[in-house]
């Protein structure tokens, strides 16, 4: 899986010249969208299949600040997968380095059908479930 790369834009910084904290949540979403693109199930394809996946919970732990023009590498992993829920973890570092972790986060999602009701992804859309399961098993080999 290719890591997501984000370059810090000037407008993402605050008066102190550091990245405003709210942007890290946006970067997690960008990385999640990129992850789904890479596994062949981008948001457009999910929505065209009648599936939405709203955020239920977000966490974000800031460790080091970033500034304008920094290039950030975000690793996205599937940490929880059930028939109705999915969780990701995110780890952000300066791109191409083993420098300290800048930020870590998680997001938890559920699956809803086109009428807004919870759905069983394994039963209702097994192709998506299997694509996610493959990455869950790669990211969590002890869970096989």
């Amino acid at each position: 899986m290719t890591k997501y790369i984000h370059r810090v834009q000037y407008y993402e910084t605050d008066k102190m010249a550091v990245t405003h904290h709210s942007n890290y949540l946006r970067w997690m979403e960008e990385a999640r969208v990129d992850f789904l693109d890479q596994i062949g199930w981008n948001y457009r394809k999910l929505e065209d299949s009648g599936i939405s996946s709203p955020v239920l919970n977000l966490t974000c732990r800031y460790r080091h600040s970033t500034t304008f023009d920094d290039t950030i590498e975000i690793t996205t992993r599937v940490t929880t997968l059930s028939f109705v829920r999915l969780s990701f973890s995110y780890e952000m570092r300066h791109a191409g380095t083993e420098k300290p972790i800048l930020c870590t986060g998680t997001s938890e999602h559920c699956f809803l059908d086109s009428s807004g009701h919870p759905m069983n992804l394994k039963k209702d859309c097994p192709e998506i479930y299997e694509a996610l399961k493959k990455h869950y098993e790669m990211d969590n080999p002890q869970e096989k």
Side-chain angles (χ1 to χ4, degrees):
M1 182 66 60
T2 303
K3 296 175 182 180
Y4 178 72
I5 303 295
H6 178 85
R7 187 170 177 186
V8 179
Q9 302 299 306
Y10 185 76
Y11 70 84
E12 294 175 313
T13 63
D14 60 19
K15 190 174 182 177
M16 297 180 293
V18 298
T19 305
H20 189 269
H21 66 276
S22 64
N23 290 294
Y24 293 84
L25 301 176
R26 290 180 176 176
W27 300 348
M28 290 190 308
E29 181 172 355
E30 291 173 14
R32 182 172 63 253
V33 167
D34 181 68
F35 174 90
L36 292 171
D37 280 343
Q38 289 188 53
I39 68 166
W41 285 95
N42 64 37
Y43 269 100
R44 173 75 58 221
K45 190 173 179 180
L46 284 172
E47 290 173 353
D48 288 348
S49 299
I51 300 167
S52 62
S53 184
V55 174
L56 300 174
N57 189 29
L58 284 172
T59 66
C60 195
R61 180 180 169 129
Y62 307 99
R63 297 174 180 215
H64 296 279
S65 60
T66 60
T67 59
F68 168 65
D69 213 29
D70 285 348
T71 303
I72 310 304
E73 183 178 83
I74 305 171
T75 302
T76 306
R77 292 184 176 90
V78 177
T79 55
T80 305
L81 177 64
S82 72
F83 303 148
V84 295
R85 291 189 185 224
L86 170 66
S87 297
F88 292 99
S89 68
Y90 310 89
E91 183 178 279
M92 300 176 204
R93 295 179 186 266
H94 285 285
T97 69
E98 290 301 316
K99 287 185 179 179
I101 295 171
L102 300 167
C103 183
T104 58
T106 62
S107 63
E108 181 184 6
H109 310 263
C110 67
F111 302 107
L112 303 178
D113 63 22
S114 58
S115 61
H117 294 100
M119 62 183 296
N120 180 326
L121 196 63
K122 184 175 182 180
K123 183 181 103 183
D124 298 330
C125 198
E127 304 87 15
I128 299 171
Y129 180 82
E130 289 303 319
L132 290 167
K133 183 179 174 193
K134 174 183 167 189
H135 288 279
Y136 173 75
E137 290 174 347
M138 287 189 322
D139 293 338
N140 303 280
Q142 71 281 2
E143 300 294 323
K144 280 188 172 180

